[in-house]
Amino acid sequence: MSVKEDVIGRSRVEDTDELKEFYSRLENLNAGALWTVANDIEPWEPQPTSVPVLWRYADLRPQVIDSASMVTGDDAGRRVVMLVNPGRKELSAAVGLLYTGLQIMNPGESMTAHRHAASALRFVIEGEGAWTVVNGDRLKVGPNDFAITPRGAWHEHGNDSDRSQVIWQDGLDIPLVNTLDANSFQVHPDQYQTPGKVQNSSLLEYGAGILKPAGADWNRRYSPLLAYPWERTYEALLNQAKVSAGSPYDGIIMEYVNPLTGGSVMPTMGAHMQLLRAGEATRAHRHTGSVVYHVAKGHGHSVINGQRLDWHEHDIFCVPSWAWHEHANDSASNDACLFSFNDFPVMHSLDLYTEAAMEDNDGHQLLS
Ligand SMILES: [Fe+2]
Ligand SMILES: [Fe+2]
């Protein structure tokens, strides 16, 4: 071992023959000397192994389309092209402890039902025939709609269009749940659920926005509302822009919430939609927590740890924990919208959320 940091209170022990022999003695006892790893496992500040990545839809879409004819949905279980961060391959993570992928379903196709301890969410990209049954509630979802599949909920998906394929983005906390050794998976004993008679029942029951069912009795830690339509989401952003200047770091940003509590949609993952007005460029900040972004509308760029990523509609990019980031809408006349999901609920519940604003250079990063 070499001298790592010449600071009192930090590990700075140099290897000697005597110590090397001591370390091997410890290793044989399934033990070790903390000072050989202390500076790595107790960093000065978060040291994510994830790197910023931009996944261009123009590059990925042809691969996703190819997958639709190469494997059947039944054989694959779920036909998904997953997005893998070069720094998180061992966890199949897109960033941090978040997984994401692009799922395609052919016209008339339906996947059998299953459930798992991991929580999931969907953001629809293209196709008109998408449906999912979550705990017996059949949801119809279209482009830019957001839907959740809470932990333990039986779910199955399909496409009832007779001509167009459906592509949606999945987001899951699989890497988190696996890291916690808490994942499990079950296939439905009847292969398919029997959905209730009323389609989108959770939206009818809990989606009023300004009203909730009086005396609603809900004691789960996830939202009773399972689907969040794009039209209402976009309208909410436009209305918010009439009364608020928004966040200096995110523009007009709103969170998808559990309508009964105002809290995040699920205990492990939160989701936002944000609107960057024409020509808007935000200031840089950073925080603990990882984020996966999906460009729902428009085009622009983000700077992440000094690296500029230019994005277009349906591109996906990630911001690792503690990475500096700022966003810009490059259109002078049209707004841009970014959907994102994150692990902020985990950070908040563990009291690990912390945030810092960039003060230098008028709040903007220097390009590296
Ligand atoms: Fe699933
Ligand atoms: Fe941020």
Side-chain angles (χ1 to χ4, degrees):
M1 195 182 116
S2 60
V3 176
K4 287 189 174 174
E5 298 175 62
D6 192 17
V7 176
I8 291 174
R10 299 291 276 183
S11 171
R12 48 179 183 170
V13 178
E14 288 191 74
D15 281 353
T16 63
D17 289 344
E18 182 188 29
L19 278 172
K20 284 183 193 167
E21 192 274 326
F22 176 63
Y23 297 152
S24 78
R25 249 188 290 154
L26 290 179
E27 197 174 346
N28 288 335
L29 296 168
N30 293 319
L34 171 62
W35 61 85
T36 63
V37 297
N39 294 345
D40 292 329
I41 67 172
E42 295 174 309
W44 295 112
E45 56 183 36
Q47 297 287 333
T49 58
S50 303
V51 295
V53 181
L54 173 71
W55 291 275
R56 290 186 181 83
Y57 195 56
D59 295 335
L60 283 169
R61 187 177 185 278
Q63 319 310 323
V64 175
I65 299 285
D66 275 355
S67 75
S69 57
M70 294 168 82
V71 292
T72 66
D74 278 344
D75 285 349
R78 289 136 295 165
R79 195 192 296 107
V80 180
V81 171
M82 60 181 187
L83 311 187
V84 183
N85 195 293
R88 300 295 267 178
K89 284 181 185 169
E90 75 285 3
L91 292 173
S92 298
V95 64
L97 294 171
L98 297 171
Y99 158 99
T100 201
L102 298 175
Q103 179 159 184
I104 184 165
M105 286 171 286
N106 285 321
E109 198 168 41
S110 61
M111 310 289 171
T112 54
H114 66 237
R115 66 179 179 181
H116 32 70
S119 300
L121 54 84
R122 329 282 168 196
F123 189 74
V124 181
I125 300 172
E126 58 177 278
E128 297 298 329
W131 56 266
T132 173
V133 181
V134 179
N135 271 350
D137 185 16
R138 192 174 199 272
L139 315 172
K140 279 287 291 175
V141 283
N144 283 4
D145 286 351
F146 168 64
I148 62 169
T149 305
R151 69 167 305 282
W154 290 113
H155 56 286
E156 61 204 80
H157 319 305
N159 175 5
D160 61 14
S161 165
D162 55 9
R163 65 183 84 87
S164 69
Q165 293 172 308
V166 161
I167 302 177
W168 72 32
Q169 182 180 358
D170 292 312
L172 289 100
D173 57 9
I174 287 172
L176 169 71
V177 179
N178 284 342
T179 298
L180 295 171
D181 291 334
N183 211 356
S184 60
F185 188 101
Q186 288 175 280
V187 295
H188 196 282
D190 301 327
Q191 286 203 312
Y192 299 97
Q193 299 172 79
T194 306
K197 286 196 182 72
V198 181
Q199 190 161 275
N200 274 341
S201 64
S202 81
L203 188 60
L204 297 173
E205 190 170 10
Y206 295 104
I210 57 172
L211 296 164
K212 66 177 185 182
D217 184 22
W218 184 261
N219 56 14
R220 308 281 173 81
R221 294 191 57 195
Y222 53 82
S223 170
L225 178 59
L226 302 173
Y228 298 74
W230 161 245
E231 293 75 16
R232 289 197 214 174
T233 305
Y234 186 53
E235 184 185 7
L237 290 167
L238 294 177
N239 286 338
Q240 186 69 13
K242 292 174 187 167
V243 295
S244 169
S247 154
Y249 313 109
D250 285 301
I252 301 295
I253 183 163
M254 300 186 83
E255 182 176 8
Y256 295 93
V257 293
N258 175 335
L260 297 184
T261 65
S264 60
V265 289
M266 294 183 285
T268 54
M269 291 187 291
H272 293 88
M273 183 68 81
Q274 69 191 88
L275 182 144
L276 301 168
R277 289 152 288 201
E280 181 169 9
T282 69
R283 295 167 70 92
H285 77 162
R286 64 178 176 176
H287 41 70
T288 48
S290 304
V291 187
V292 176
Y293 289 86
H294 178 116
V295 183
K297 185 175 187 288
H299 66 97
H301 70 272
S302 298
V303 181
I304 306 169
N305 273 351
Q307 182 184 352
R308 177 174 167 143
L309 303 177
D310 286 87
W311 38 257
H312 296 84
E313 215 163 271
H314 303 317
D315 287 351
I316 294 167
F317 62 94
C318 68
V319 173
S321 183
W322 208 235
W324 291 108
H325 54 283
E326 59 195 275
H327 310 292
N329 178 354
D330 290 337
S331 168
S333 51
N334 296 314
D335 57 31
C337 291
L338 299 176
F339 166 79
S340 61
F341 70 95
N342 58 66
D343 57 8
F344 297 166
V346 176
M347 293 296 161
H348 285 297
S349 64
L350 300 180
D351 211 11
L352 292 171
Y353 186 84
T354 182
E355 184 175 352
M358 177 161 279
E359 304 294 347
D360 302 340
N361 195 33
D362 204 24
H364 296 284
Q365 301 160 79
L366 298 173
L367 292 179
S368 52

